[in-house]
Amino acid sequence: MTEHLFQVVLADDDSSYFSLGLALVTLSPILLMASYAALAVQTREFLVIVMWAGQILGELLNWVIKRAIKQDRPIESIGNGYGFPSSHSQYMAYFASFLTCHLYFRHRFSSTGYPVLDFLWRMIVYAGLLGWSGLVAYSRYYLGYHNGNQIFWGLAIGTILGVPLYFVTEAIPTRYPTSSLGKAKSMILNNTIVKWLQIRDGWAVWADGGREGEWLRWRKEWERRQESAKEKTR
């Protein structure tokens, strides 16, 4: 893979820059694992932890499927291991499908006061998620790591994992708190160890997960300290 990227960088035509851009895009999913870890530690949100766990589960599932089917990559000299299904495509499809479901069904975006602008902003966010996933998948095809079939099934498996996991862990327990899934989630959040770790479900209390409330508390304290500092300088 390193040799292939090196050759792309040295290509002396217009397409070399496009290839280099796609090479960078294809590496972008690496950022997600670090983001999951940072968000899980910082926010202690149940949603983030579940989404992260699902992402890891998807990687394990991909590893099992690849070794069960043993389908080669279209260009054997590029990439390591088997090619079916595309792990990058599956990875990004899971991420995009799970997060899109959450943003659509539970998260409340801050309002600008103009419904048209609010709608456009939501559409931009959704398009950004889907576009990023699609671009990563296309980069795997363009750079020769996977064929169309491997990418299609990677996207399909990721979506099939992401959407049901969201509904099982978030949508159904929220809509039907007295259901078995709702009770199971409550039992988890009321567990002694979970409480000691201060894990929370912010969206069960606040429509935006508590972001606006936290900002308002910060702003109030920040302004109080600013006033206090001004009085000391008088």
Side-chain angles (χ1 to χ4, degrees), residues 13-187:
D13 54 38
D14 291 340
S15 65
S16 67
Y17 297 102
F18 182 66
S19 299
L20 175 58
L22 288 180
L24 295 175
V25 168
T26 205
L27 294 173
S28 63
I30 296 173
L31 301 173
L32 288 181
M33 278 299 176
S35 299
Y36 279 128
L39 285 172
V41 172
Q42 178 64 28
T43 67
R44 312 293 176 90
E45 277 291 346
F46 180 79
L47 174 91
V48 174
I49 295 170
V50 168
M51 189 175 177
W52 187 15
Q55 196 84 70
I56 295 172
L57 176 63
E59 288 296 283
L60 293 174
L61 177 62
N62 184 272
W63 186 89
V64 171
I65 295 174
K66 279 185 174 179
R67 280 149 186 80
I69 296 180
K70 298 181 179 180
Q71 185 178 107
D72 292 330
R73 295 175 183 271
I75 305 175
E76 295 185 11
S77 61
I78 298 178
N80 298 314
Y82 300 111
F84 182 93
S86 166
S87 58
H88 282 67
S89 301
Q90 179 182 321
Y91 190 98
M92 291 304 298
Y94 166 83
F95 168 76
S97 61
F98 189 103
L99 187 55
T100 299
C101 283
H102 171 66
L103 294 176
Y104 182 81
F105 290 107
R106 292 198 71 186
H107 183 74
R108 176 180 63 80
F109 290 88
S110 296
S111 177
T112 62
Y114 299 95
V116 174
L117 291 180
D118 293 343
F119 174 78
L120 288 176
W121 171 241
R122 289 196 298 272
M123 293 302 103
I124 290 172
V125 172
Y126 298 148
L129 286 172
L130 297 176
W132 182 18
S133 301
L135 198 55
V136 169
Y138 176 71
S139 72
R140 305 305 289 174
Y141 175 80
Y142 182 88
L143 296 174
Y145 289 98
H146 297 283
N147 59 37
N149 184 62
Q150 293 168 349
I151 289 170
F152 170 80
W153 281 104
L155 293 171
I157 293 170
T159 303
I160 290 170
L161 177 62
V163 174
L165 182 62
Y166 176 80
F167 275 86
V168 168
T169 60
E170 293 293 326
I172 295 176
T174 300
R175 183 71 178 272
Y176 305 102
T178 58
S179 65
S180 58
L181 291 175
K183 291 178 180 178
K185 183 175 180 179
S186 296
M187 183 176 66

Side-chain angles (χ1 to χ4, degrees), residues 186-199:
S186 296
M187 183 176 66
I188 292 171
L189 290 172
N190 287 323
N191 180 269
T192 303
I193 296 176
V194 171
K195 288 193 289 185
W196 179 75
L197 292 172
Q198 298 183 353
I199 295 172

Side-chain angles (χ1 to χ4, degrees), residues 2-22:
T2 303
E3 181 182 357
H4 173 67
L5 291 179
F6 183 69
Q7 291 173 347
V8 169
V9 172
L10 291 183
D12 190 23
D13 54 38
D14 291 340
S15 65
S16 67
Y17 297 102
F18 182 66
S19 299
L20 175 58
L22 288 180

